[in-house]
Amino acid sequence: MRPVFDRLYSLSAFLGALTLGLICLVISAQVFLNVVDKLALFFTGEAIGLTIPSYSTFSGLFLASGTFLALGYTFRHGAHIRVSLLLQHLPSRHRRIADTLSLVMALVVVAVMTISLGFITWEAWFYGDTTSDIIAVPIWIPQAFMTFGSAIFFLAILDRLLNPSNEIES
C-alpha cells in the first residue's frame, strides 16, 4: 500500500506545483501586457488597454487550490511546522503519547474540514455558483481541488497515525 500512498501524495504535490506555475504564468503574462501597454502609451500617446480578463481571480483560485493540494505531501515529508521543541524534551514514552494525541486532534480537525469542503463544493455545483468577475468561473472547480487536497492531507495524517513506525521522510 505504501507505493500507492506515496504516488498519491506525489500526484497531489505535482498538481499543487502546477497551480503555482499557472499563477506565475498568468501574472507574468499580465505584466508583459502592462509593459506593452506602457510602451504603446509612450510611443503613440495612447494606451492599447491590454489585459487578461479576471487574471487576479484566476491567480487567487489557483493559489487556494495549490495550497490545499500540497498539504498531504508536505506533511508526509515533515515540512509542516511541528512543536518539536517541546517534544524533544519529553521522555520517549510521553513523546509518543503527545505525538499520538496531536495526530488524533489534527485528524479530527482535518476530517471536519474535508467534510465541510465537500459539502460546500457540492452546494456550489448544485446551485451553479460562479465567480463574479469578467469571466465567470464555476466555483466548484477550485473547491473540488481544495476538497481533494484536504482528503489527501487527512489520509497522510491517518497513515502516520496507523503506522507509527512509518517515520516522516525528511
Side-chain angles (χ1 to χ4, degrees):
M1 226 29 211
R2 171 65 29 227
V4 173
F5 286 165
D6 288 341
R7 277 192 226 108
L8 192 56
Y9 301 146
S10 293
L11 170 67
S12 188
F14 172 77
L15 292 173
L18 182 64
T19 61
L20 293 180
L22 289 171
I23 293 170
C24 183
L25 181 68
V26 169
I27 297 299
S28 296
Q30 184 57 52
V31 167
F32 174 75
L33 292 177
N34 287 346
V35 168
V36 170
D37 208 34
K38 294 295 181 187
L39 288 173
L41 179 63
F42 179 76
F43 287 113
T44 66
E46 193 171 321
I48 302 170
L50 298 174
T51 189
I52 297 173
S54 306
Y55 77 94
S56 62
T57 298
F58 287 124
S59 296
L61 296 176
F62 289 143
L63 180 62
S65 298
T67 299
F68 278 82
L69 285 168
L71 288 174
Y73 180 85
T74 54
F75 178 80
R76 174 73 183 124
H77 290 275
H80 285 212
I81 297 172
R82 294 180 48 124
V83 190
S84 54
L85 185 62
L86 173 66
L87 292 176
Q88 71 187 6
H89 294 293
L90 293 175
S92 65
R93 180 174 179 267
H94 292 119
R95 187 178 314 127
R96 272 181 286 160
I97 292 169
D99 196 40
T100 301
L101 284 174
S102 66
L103 286 170
V104 168
M105 288 188 295
L107 193 68
V108 169
V109 169
V110 173
V112 170
M113 180 174 68
T114 303
I115 291 166
S116 299
L117 282 168
F119 178 73
I120 66 168
T121 301
W122 174 83
E123 200 174 47
W125 172 80
F126 184 79
Y127 290 110
D129 290 345
T130 60
T131 58
S132 57
D133 213 339
I134 296 170
I135 297 176
V137 177
I139 204 72
W140 67 267
I141 296 171
Q143 287 176 343
F145 284 107
M146 292 169 61
T147 304
F148 176 71
S150 184
I152 299 299
F153 187 30
F154 175 85
L155 181 64
I157 296 169
L158 184 63
D159 181 22
R160 176 75 173 94
L161 186 62
L162 296 178
N163 300 302
S165 62
N166 185 14
E167 290 298 318
I168 293 175
E169 297 174 6
S170 296

